[in-house]
Amino acid sequence: MVIIPVDAHLLTLTISTPEIVMRPVRVGRETRMQRERIQRTREIQTQRSAASLTLSFMEVNKIFGAADIEFRLRNTTSESVEAPKGSEALDDEGFLMLAAGFPMNNAVSLLLVRSFAGSEGGASKEKLGVCAVGDGSPDTALAHEFGHLLGLEHQGDIRDLMSRGLSAPGTPLTKSEIKGARASWLFQRFGGRPSEGSR
């Protein structure tokens, strides 16, 4: 069994918007109203926790167990970041903007946000070892993004974990996906040998 450690970042997206307000100002004996520009900040916080992630990882590992791979939650941190493009929901472009700030460091980097816009419920960047999912994304979306980090490409069959849309819960890996995952750089990075790909 190859253990792939994961550092989870529970993100709060902060959205700052400028606003003009009128403030009273004393000038001698008079009080005048003066316009002032201020920044209002809203926070969009993920509802995920280490406990809920542990349950999700159990489901993900039921899928990847067929390839003798286990994703293990190593660390969980809570962080605030400026929302890309000032949006409450992270999309593919926003993910790429954030991903560079959370590169893999001896563990896969998982970004968790309140909402992810897109049909797959998440995104990944294999080269950086980073993926992201939203609170409403099912466990198969997390497994799908981990699959991309293992070098697996999209497949056309809706019953396939790597289909472009969301797959059904418990969707198993195909034989070719098992072979591909075992041949990946990530598998080898954490001690797997490509020769283990033949079953």
Side-chain angles (χ1 to χ4, degrees):
M1 182 69 70
V2 171
I3 308 297
I4 299 178
V6 179
D7 287 340
H9 305 275
L10 307 176
L11 298 183
T12 296
L13 300 181
T14 61
I15 301 173
S16 299
T17 51
E19 191 176 305
I20 303 295
V21 296
M22 300 298 283
R23 295 218 188 271
V25 176
R26 294 262 318 158
V27 179
R29 294 181 178 174
E30 294 181 21
T31 300
R32 296 183 185 167
M33 298 304 283
Q34 180 177 329
R35 292 165 57 116
E36 185 179 321
R37 184 181 172 135
I38 63 167
Q39 287 284 98
R40 296 251 189 240
T41 302
R42 286 185 302 130
E43 295 186 336
I44 314 300
Q45 186 176 10
T46 179
Q47 302 301 302
R48 298 300 299 260
S49 65
S52 69
L53 276 177
T54 299
L55 296 175
S56 292
F57 273 54
M58 288 171 63
E59 294 305 310
V60 165
N61 288 326
K62 286 178 186 175
I63 296 168
F64 284 101
D68 296 321
I69 294 171
E70 178 184 328
F71 288 91
R72 187 172 292 170
L73 189 58
R74 180 179 83 162
N75 194 19
T76 306
T77 61
S78 298
E79 301 172 53
S80 289
V81 294
E82 189 69 29
K85 304 182 295 179
S87 176
E88 289 187 17
L90 195 63
D91 61 11
D92 289 336
E93 185 182 345
F95 164 71
L96 290 175
M97 294 168 76
L98 283 183
F102 295 91
M104 178 174 148
N105 183 17
N106 296 321
V108 164
S109 191
L110 170 62
L111 310 181
L112 296 136
V113 294
R114 170 86 60 88
S115 178
F116 197 98
S119 62
E120 292 167 20
S124 58
K125 185 73 174 167
E126 181 184 358
K127 193 183 287 185
L128 292 175
V130 182
C131 63
V133 292
D135 286 354
S137 304
D139 296 333
T140 49
L142 179 56
H144 178 102
E145 299 310 332
F146 282 161
H148 281 310
L149 295 184
L150 288 164
L152 303 181
E153 300 293 332
H154 282 138
Q155 304 297 323
D157 192 332
I158 191 68
R159 296 164 297 178
D160 194 311
L161 177 68
M162 299 310 295
S163 72
R164 285 194 178 275
L166 292 175
S167 49
T171 303
L173 293 174
T174 64
K175 288 181 182 179
S176 66
E177 287 169 345
I178 291 170
K179 187 175 179 180
R182 288 178 174 170
S184 72
W185 71 272
L186 193 60
F187 182 78
Q188 294 172 48
R189 164 78 173 74
F190 291 102
R193 284 181 269 148
S195 60
E196 293 176 25
S198 56
R199 236 189 197 187

